[in-house]
Structure formats: structure tokens, C-alpha cells
Amino acid sequence: MAADSTPPADDTRVRARAAALVRRPKLWLVPTVLCGLLAFLLSLLYMGGIVNPNGELHHLPIGIVNADQGRPLPGQTTNLGTQVTRSITADTSGKADWQPLTRAQAQDRLASGKIYGALVVPADFTTTAAALTTANATTRPTLTVLTNPGMGSLGSSLASRITQQAAQQASLAIGTQLMDSPATAGADATTRLVLADPVAVATQVGHPIGDHSGLGLSAFYYTLLLVLAGFLGGNVISNGVDTALGYADNEIGPWHARRPTVPISRTQTLLLKMVMTAGITVLTTTLVMIATVGMLGMDASHLPLLWIYSYCASLAVGLGVQAINAAFGGIGQLVSMFVFIVLGLPSSGSTVPLEAVPGFYRFLSLFEPMRQLSVGVRAILFFDARADAGLTRSWIMIAVGAALALLFGLAMTRYYDRKRLDRLTPQPSRLIA
């Protein structure tokens, strides 16, 4: 018996052509509007956070230590260290939040990431400065600038620049006092030149980090890896489950297939995706650490804690992605991209300090996931996993984020299920009018 040569019904239909469809305005409308909005918002959000850090800078926390034990200069009631400290802390520019500290307190705050740097007045500061008015004096008084590279290269640099400027202004003020002293009335030109700007400024690392720490940026990039692993992994899992259950097409190159639709509620689908996210995140977290720490040699300690933290952080992001996708459907990937990446990067405070960004980003940093996660990573990598370096807050915010993802996702899917808003198999439709 000869095989039936009748062509399938699909082959007899009139197929649409690109040349005809491209002239239909409705086909252009939604992609054009969305692409334009994305380009505009991305430009505003990303560049708005970094375009003017000097202009936005305010209240950058910097320590100031007065260890000066010298006697006041003739005619003065306080020594030079006290005068320098009072002058600097009275600054009204608002660029820095000067915090008077002891040397031990300053070191502790540097080691816990609470200050970006410090200015130290040594114990012999007044004595050394007064000696310049005597014959054959060769040692200049020195102010020490302490940096904190664990707070990021830009934040540490801003603090270093502010402290150096403050030290320079203090030197000129002290020079004026020394020049007015009767002891320098007969000084030669060389001596008077030294006395006009008598203070030397030395820069030291207040809290050192490893050479393989990306100048303090490894914490940010490691956090970005965790967020991307959770974000991309969540979307891959979501699409993979939808394809396997027959709710999405499986298309690879020229090959196209659709599996039979499995009858399942939205709530059960979300639970399946979340369970798979929890399992697959074990693998992705391990591979991230193998690549960064094992193969690239990134400086890291507390490795078991770092793995557990990384897993929980990436899982919280993945659960959030699944909840958002379940709630918003087709635009869920865009929504989760804005929540976890677009709004998160400029408000993380890891590249540009929050004290140097507009207020909108400081507001976002109160709840944006990347900010909460980066503080915890930084505490583990640079600050000996100290709880007061932000690690405790990060753990709390991870727990809050995961709980919100579960509650929001399940609440939305149960609502859809109660309304009988089933996920139907797409059917062929007429061409766009």
C-alpha cells in the first residue's frame, strides 16, 4: 500500500513573511518602548551613582588620633596636637565625619571596617616642632595617615586625600606660629623656609589586606559572582523546568520541540523550582570558590564559613528570582534583573562609598540585596569575619530575603491557583492586525 503523500495541514497554510510584518506598527510598539526605557534607566542608574563622587561626598568616617604629650609652645595654652585635632574636627565642609579616637580604638575600627582611614598625631609632635626653632634642628614633626584598603580602593583613596589635605593645612597653621616665635627672629632663609611648612606627612596601611585582593575590590566582584550565579541559575532552572513540563518550547538552533504538558499547579511548579535551586546552588557555590580561591588564588580565609555564607547568599537570590518569575510571568526576568543587578550595583557601596553617592542610592542600600551581601563578604575576606564588621547584619538580611521570597512567591501562586488562572498551552493565533 502506497504511503499517503498528502502534505500536512501546516504546509498548506500561508506563511507570514518578514517584509510584510515589519511594516506593522503594533509589532514595533512594545519592543521599542521597552528597549528605550531600559537604555534610559540603565544610563541614569549606573552613571548616576559614580559620575560625581567628589561633589556628593559627605560625612566619610575618618578617625583622628591625638597622642601628643608635649608641653604647649610659649604663649599657648594647649599643645599643637590638641590644636590640630580641634581645628580638623571643627571643619564645616561636611566632607568627612572626623571621629576622635585613641590609637587602639582607631586600630579596632580600621579592623572592623567602620572607618576609611585615620590621621595620627604622635606623642612627640609638639616637642619635635618646638625643636625646629633651635639651632641645628634637623627632624621635622610628622603626621601619619593610615589607610584602610579593605574598604575599597576609591574609599581608601578619598579618605587618604582628605587626611593629607587636613595635615597640610595643619602644617601651614603651625608654621605661622613658629614663624611668629621670638626664637626664630634671627633665623636664616633656609630655616625660615622649613618653618613655614614644618610638618611631614607619612602614609601607612592601617589595616593591610593580601596582595591577591584586587586592591580591596575582590569582595565586590566575589559578591557579584554570587548574585549572578543566583540570578542566572534561577532563570536557567525556571526555563528548564517550564520546558520539561511542556509549558515552553525547546528550541536549539534549527531544532524545535514541545514536550507533552504535565498537569501541575503554579504552586507546585514554584516549589519544584525552589527545591532544584537549593540543590543546584550547592554545585554553583562550590565551583565559584574553586575558580576564585583554588585556581586564581584570591586571598580568603575562614573557607568553611565563606562557603556556607556564599551558598546562603546565592540561594536567597535564586529563591527571589523564582518568586518574581512566578509572580510576573514573562517580564519576571526583567523585574528580577532590576531588583538584583541594576539597582544593586550602584547602591552596593563596594566600588564607590555610599558617602559619595546621591541620597537615592543610599536609600536603596538599606534593602538592596547586593549591598547586604557585599558587606558580609567583605567582613569575611578582609576583617577576620568579625560580627561587628557587618557580618551579623548580612546574615539577618539573607534570612529576611529568603523568607520574603518564599512568602511572596507562594502567596502569588496560591492566589493564581485559587482564581483558576492555569498556565495554558499556547495556541496558534492570527497575525498581528
Side-chain angles (χ1 to χ4, degrees), residues 158-431:
L158 288 172
S160 178
R161 188 193 69 192
I162 291 173
T163 50
Q164 287 178 3
Q165 290 175 348
Q168 182 62 30
Q169 292 173 0
S171 177
L172 297 177
I174 292 170
T176 300
Q177 290 190 42
L178 296 179
M179 294 285 286
D180 293 340
S181 173
T184 62
D188 57 28
T190 302
T191 301
R192 293 181 69 85
L193 184 63
V194 172
L195 291 176
D197 187 11
V199 178
V201 180
T203 301
Q204 300 177 6
V205 177
H207 180 72
I209 58 177
D211 294 334
H212 291 180
S213 297
L215 300 177
L217 291 176
S218 61
F220 165 71
Y221 283 101
Y222 187 85
T223 303
L224 182 59
L225 284 174
L226 298 181
V227 173
L228 286 176
F231 171 76
L232 296 175
N235 283 310
V236 168
I237 293 169
S238 181
N239 293 334
V241 170
D242 287 344
T243 299
L245 298 181
Y247 291 95
D249 291 341
N250 183 18
E251 188 170 3
I252 303 176
W255 294 281
H256 172 269
R258 176 179 282 276
R259 299 178 64 86
T261 302
V262 175
I264 186 172
S265 68
R266 290 175 181 265
T267 301
Q268 292 300 312
T269 303
L270 176 61
L271 288 173
L272 173 62
K273 292 176 180 179
M274 287 184 165
V275 170
M276 292 182 63
T277 299
I280 294 175
T281 300
V282 174
L283 173 64
T284 58
T285 299
T286 303
L287 293 177
V288 166
M289 286 193 62
I290 289 175
T292 56
V293 180
M295 300 177 66
L296 298 177
M298 181 185 76
D299 289 320
S301 57
H302 307 281
L303 293 183
L305 174 62
L306 180 62
W307 186 92
I308 295 172
Y309 181 89
S310 301
Y311 172 79
C312 294
S314 191
L315 175 60
V317 174
L319 295 178
V321 168
Q322 301 297 5
I324 291 173
N325 287 348
F328 293 96
I331 64 169
Q333 293 186 14
L334 280 178
V335 175
S336 59
M337 181 183 74
F338 268 85
V339 171
F340 293 106
I341 298 177
V342 175
L343 297 177
L345 286 173
S347 63
S348 67
S350 299
T351 52
V352 180
L354 291 177
E355 292 82 3
V357 298
F360 172 69
Y361 299 94
R362 293 193 294 273
F363 168 73
L364 289 178
S365 70
L366 298 176
F367 54 85
E368 261 298 315
M370 193 172 293
R371 169 61 179 174
Q372 320 311 322
L373 302 183
S374 65
V375 171
V377 171
R378 188 172 64 189
I380 296 173
L381 293 183
F382 300 148
F383 301 123
D384 198 30
R386 289 179 53 161
D388 60 349
L391 187 56
T392 297
R393 173 183 168 83
S394 292
W395 277 119
I396 293 173
M397 296 304 288
I398 287 174
V400 171
L404 288 177
L406 289 170
L407 292 174
F408 175 69
L410 293 175
M412 293 303 296
T413 53
R414 287 178 63 85
Y415 172 78
Y416 294 152
D417 287 336
R418 287 198 304 270
K419 292 293 184 179
R420 304 302 298 257
L421 299 174
D422 298 325
R423 304 176 69 194
L424 302 177
T425 302
Q427 300 296 326
S429 62
R430 296 181 179 179
L431 298 179

